[in-house]
Amino acid sequence: MKHIILGAGPAGVIAAETIRKHAPHDEIVVIGDEPEAPYSRMAIPYLLIGKVGEEGTHLRHTPGHFEALGVRVLRGLRATRIDVDARAVETSDGARHGFDKLLIATGSSPATPPIPGIQGPGVHTCWTLEDARAIMALAQPDARVLQLGAGFIGCIIMEALAMRGVQLTVVEMGDRMVPRMMGPTAGRMIKDWCEAKGVRVHTGARVDAVERQPGGSAPMQVKLSTGAVLDADLVISATGVRPNIGFLENSGITCLVGVLTDQHLQTNVPGIYAAGDCAEAFDKVSGKTIVSAIQPNAAEQARVAALNMVGRGAELKGVTQINVLDTLGMISASFGLWDGVPGGQHVELTDEAAGRHLSLQFDQNRLVGCNAIGWTEHVGVMRGLVEGQVPLGDWKARLLDDPTQLMAAYLACAQAQQHPGLLKTGAH
């Protein structure tokens, strides 16, 4: 049996190791599109601030790890086409690789907005080790750095840049920071916190153009939709990502936002699977298929896909939107349908002086989403209640009255699952 894995990121590596564990003699080939050893993009901010060297970003540190497993890793090759009928992958070097089972784990790439001048020198994404090298050369102390985007990834990059001692300005099109993760109150609190830490933040603004001096010398002039013109020695584009699925066009493999999968992570083509940032899987909270570009979900999808590839039946229990973010020391969290559902109930509690905010969203008798700032002790409980779709019984009314009772509600509901009837009576 020959397994081909497209993608050498966390999902691809975990899948290869899982296959090898359960199929000692199968052939495994991992094809990655970068020349680097398999590494984690999540480690790039640590590289930017000097906490790790480039080797510290590598997913596996033991010399000869993949060779010892009998896993062949091909670097610097891009999949250009999948021939479903012939069961073969064509790569950018013109080669064809036959397979019995295939995993598409090609991840995602930065979505660069169509702004005049954004493709020129001095503008970089922060997605690859090559990007990180360019950024470290330019993001020296007191350099004027302008970052486009204050979403989840943008805030992680922003923190690393701030720690390098640059003069940092962030421009976000939304009316608040992390607008796809946080509601208005939470997003505004994060903005206020960042500005208090010395980061200039423009929300409700877009970059209209990046202009350069004659000969391309620094500084660049960045024109905003507000009319402001800002000087910048470096521009970082962090305006979101999109799944790497273009090569699947006309392949017969069904794609929506990402590669559509079932509960086994199998596509509509038997024997072809998908996992990670490029996969679209079922979210049990929203009842829809979503692309969840976070590493914990990617790892679990890879594990489930790999087990099915070797004939060991496994099902994905579902994906849930999970985000925990440290923004210059302010810890925020967002789970599930943080913006609620039509007709649902919600409750908010805000103490700005203490840097705390809690927003809970309910659908009938279940907690379906939440936002939190400063409630680090309840992060696990929030995830458990949302992801587990736990019936709350009388505890829903109690949480609407006092949302800080999340821990008590979680413990009572867990006990009720072992002793049915407790929630109905409200006993605890």
Side-chain angles (χ1 to χ4, degrees):
M1 182 75 71
K2 181 178 181 180
H3 306 270
I4 287 186
I5 297 170
L6 300 179
V13 168
I14 289 170
E17 293 171 342
T18 304
I19 291 170
R20 175 56 71 229
K21 178 179 179 181
H22 296 282
H25 306 296
D26 285 4
E27 183 180 356
I28 305 171
V29 179
V30 176
I31 301 176
D33 64 354
E34 293 185 54
E36 324 286 353
Y39 69 93
S40 171
R41 301 194 196 286
M42 297 300 294
I44 287 178
Y46 297 100
L47 175 63
L48 292 179
I49 62 176
K51 278 194 173 181
V52 299
E54 287 196 12
E55 188 176 333
T57 68
H58 293 176
L59 288 166
R60 300 295 180 261
H61 302 289
T62 303
H65 173 79
F66 296 103
E67 292 83 355
L69 288 177
V71 173
R72 191 154 57 105
V73 180
L74 305 180
R75 303 185 192 177
L77 293 178
R78 217 172 12 87
T80 56
R81 179 173 175 265
I82 294 178
D83 187 334
V84 169
D85 295 329
R87 311 290 283 184
V89 174
E90 297 178 5
T91 49
S92 51
D93 61 349
R96 282 173 65 91
H97 307 264
F99 63 84
D100 295 301
K101 299 290 176 68
L102 174 70
L103 177 66
I104 303 167
T106 46
S108 54
S109 294
T112 303
I115 298 170
I118 200 166
Q119 298 292 352
V123 180
H124 297 276
T125 57
C126 186
W127 196 244
T128 66
L129 284 178
E130 184 178 359
D131 291 335
R133 295 173 193 128
I135 290 168
M136 287 189 290
L138 294 170
Q140 298 297 322
D142 291 325
R144 293 161 294 186
V145 179
L146 184 140
Q147 177 178 303
L148 285 71
F152 180 78
I153 293 172
C155 283
I156 294 173
I157 298 168
M158 179 192 71
E159 180 168 51
L161 291 170
M163 293 180 70
R164 289 184 67 85
V166 303
Q167 299 178 40
L168 182 58
T169 299
V170 176
V171 180
E172 166 58 46
M173 288 181 62
D175 63 354
R176 59 191 182 274
M177 294 187 72
V178 278
R180 295 183 181 179
M181 169 181 160
M182 289 290 174
T185 301
R188 178 181 51 76
M189 288 177 66
I190 295 173
K191 176 183 177 181
D192 291 346
W193 176 268
C194 291
E195 290 184 325
K197 295 288 185 176
V199 178
R200 291 170 289 281
V201 181
H202 297 257
T203 52
R206 67 177 185 273
V207 172
D208 282 345
V210 178
E211 298 182 349
R212 292 170 179 80
Q213 306 292 328
S217 60
M220 293 168 281
Q221 287 196 319
V222 181
K223 296 185 175 181
L224 305 188
S225 59
T226 59
V229 179
L230 307 175
D231 287 340
D233 302 302
L234 167 66
V235 174
I236 303 289
S237 179
T239 54
V241 297
R242 58 168 60 100
N244 292 325
I245 58 174
F247 70 100
L248 297 174
E249 188 174 1
N250 300 320
S251 68
I253 298 170
T254 300
C255 298
L256 299 178
V257 177
V259 184
L260 190 62
T261 64
D262 64 13
Q263 69 271 30
H264 305 292
L265 277 306
Q266 189 168 231
T267 70
N268 63 302
V269 179
I272 297 181
Y273 298 78
D277 290 12
C278 69
E280 186 165 344
F282 184 73
D283 172 22
K284 59 188 176 182
V285 177
S286 67
K288 302 175 182 177
T289 57
I290 63 169
V291 174
S292 180
I294 58 172
Q295 194 159 311
N297 280 338
E300 178 61 9
Q301 290 173 7
R303 186 189 70 84
V304 171
L307 288 173
N308 286 296
M309 290 169 74
V310 296
R312 292 178 174 260
E315 290 190 4
L316 186 71
K317 294 180 180 178
V319 296
T320 303
Q321 296 285 36
I322 303 166
N323 291 297
V324 179
L325 182 63
D326 182 347
T327 309
L328 302 175
M330 173 174 271
I331 309 298
S332 58
S334 177
F335 298 106
L337 301 174
W338 56 267
D339 51 352
V341 296
Q345 292 177 277
H346 75 280
V347 61
E348 283 196 4
L349 179 67
T350 304
D351 183 349
E352 294 201 30
R356 286 194 155 201
H357 170 74
L358 186 60
S359 170
L360 306 181
Q361 303 286 344
F362 299 90
D363 184 11
Q364 298 183 22
N365 199 34
R366 288 173 168 81
L367 182 69
V368 293
C370 54
N371 272 174
I373 291 177
W375 292 92
T376 53
E377 67 272 29
H378 287 335
V379 166
V381 167
M382 293 176 204
R383 178 177 179 178
L385 288 172
V386 171
E387 199 169 43
Q389 287 293 276
V390 178
L392 293 170
D394 290 346
W395 277 98
K396 176 187 174 183
R398 298 187 191 191
L399 289 173
L400 284 168
D401 183 61
D402 182 1
T404 67
Q405 294 300 308
L406 278 166
M407 181 65 76
Y410 181 79
L411 294 173
C413 292
Q415 187 179 13
Q417 288 180 332
Q418 297 179 353
H419 304 283
L422 287 179
L423 284 180
K424 189 178 295 184
T425 63
H428 64 281

